[in-house]
Amino acid sequence: LDVLLTPGQRLGLVGNNGCGKSTLMQILATAADEHPAMNPDQGEIATADNIRIVFFDQSRKQLDTSKTLRRALAPDGDSVLYQNRTIHVAGWAKRFLFRPDQLETPVERLSGGEQARILLARLMLQPADILLLDEPTNDLDILTLDVLEDYLDNFQGAIITVSHDRYFLDRVVDKVFVHQEDGTFKQYSGGYSD
């Protein structure tokens, strides 16, 4: 894979399960760290200084399931800061289809789709230059997909997403890299249908 990411780029990674897409995303997620968690077996990754990379991990390891929904969305108070605006946690939760009476529910008691919505809600609060989305549409309903797609439409940085959701790829990306049997990626302009 040979690619230069610039602001506004939207890349999709496609390939069979087990071909290494998620591993590649994990390598990219910490590429800007002084001591990356994973390094490529060969090749190199160069990052700009002070680059902010945000990773949506399909395994949901980033969630502390012992916390309540309120603390998962707003760890330090009762509001969040989104695009330089303060929003009460109940309003932020409502945007992701949570009811006010769910705010004190432990995350471990929420469904997989609800946990994915928490991760998306937190993702949107993080300042980022590059978004890495590993299977972001898993367990999402159509209304939450609309929220995610709207956010991605307005995101100014670069996006790399792994997805088996063909419609999502058509809607979000402008280049698709398809994993080949020889271990390389073949590049196509446009979405999945292209």
Side-chain angles (χ1 to χ4, degrees):
L1 177 65
D2 185 9
V3 64
L4 173 66
L5 281 177
T6 58
Q9 278 192 306
R10 311 286 194 250
L11 307 179
L13 298 178
V14 176
N16 293 331
N17 288 336
C19 75
K21 300 179 304 291
S22 293
T23 301
L24 174 60
M25 296 291 269
Q26 291 168 3
I27 290 169
L28 294 174
T30 62
D33 294 353
E34 186 175 338
H35 301 287
M38 294 180 76
N39 289 302
D41 293 335
Q42 61 185 32
E44 90 181 46
I45 300 171
T47 61
D49 292 339
N50 303 315
I51 196 83
R52 297 170 300 179
I53 301 172
V54 174
F55 182 43
F56 179 90
D57 182 2
Q58 68 172 317
S59 68
R60 301 189 184 121
K61 292 177 188 173
Q62 300 146 322
L63 271 181
D64 180 348
T65 58
S66 67
K67 290 186 177 182
T68 63
L69 173 61
R70 176 186 303 275
R71 287 299 146 239
L73 295 175
D76 301 320
D78 283 329
S79 61
V80 299
L81 185 62
Y82 178 66
Q83 296 182 345
N84 298 318
R85 288 187 4 231
T86 301
I87 300 172
H88 191 273
V89 67
W92 188 245
K94 184 178 179 180
R95 180 175 181 166
F96 294 90
L97 312 175
F98 291 106
R99 299 180 317 274
D101 64 309
Q102 290 180 288
L103 287 173
E104 301 310 320
T105 303
V107 171
E108 64 193 356
R109 289 191 19 219
L110 299 174
S111 71
E114 290 169 324
Q115 290 180 11
R117 286 188 290 186
I118 294 169
L119 288 174
L120 288 175
R122 291 175 23 175
L123 170 96
M124 292 182 188
L125 297 175
Q126 297 180 52
D129 301 304
I130 299 173
L131 285 180
L132 302 174
L133 307 171
D134 191 5
E135 297 287 358
T137 63
N138 285 359
D139 300 320
L140 294 186
D141 55 56
I142 296 208
L143 293 175
T144 309
L145 279 171
D146 288 343
V147 171
L148 174 61
E149 290 170 358
D150 181 56
Y151 169 72
L152 296 177
D153 285 343
N154 295 300
F155 181 69
Q156 301 296 311
I159 298 170
I160 300 177
T161 186
V162 171
S163 183
H164 293 282
D165 183 335
R166 296 172 183 182
Y167 176 78
F168 178 75
L169 290 172
D170 279 343
R171 173 76 174 72
V172 171
V173 305
D174 52 29
K175 285 185 186 167
V176 176
F177 288 82
V178 180
H179 186 264
Q180 306 296 298
E181 287 185 23
D182 66 359
T184 63
F185 283 89
K186 185 173 181 181
Q187 177 182 331
Y188 296 90
S189 292
Y192 184 88
S193 296
D194 297 314

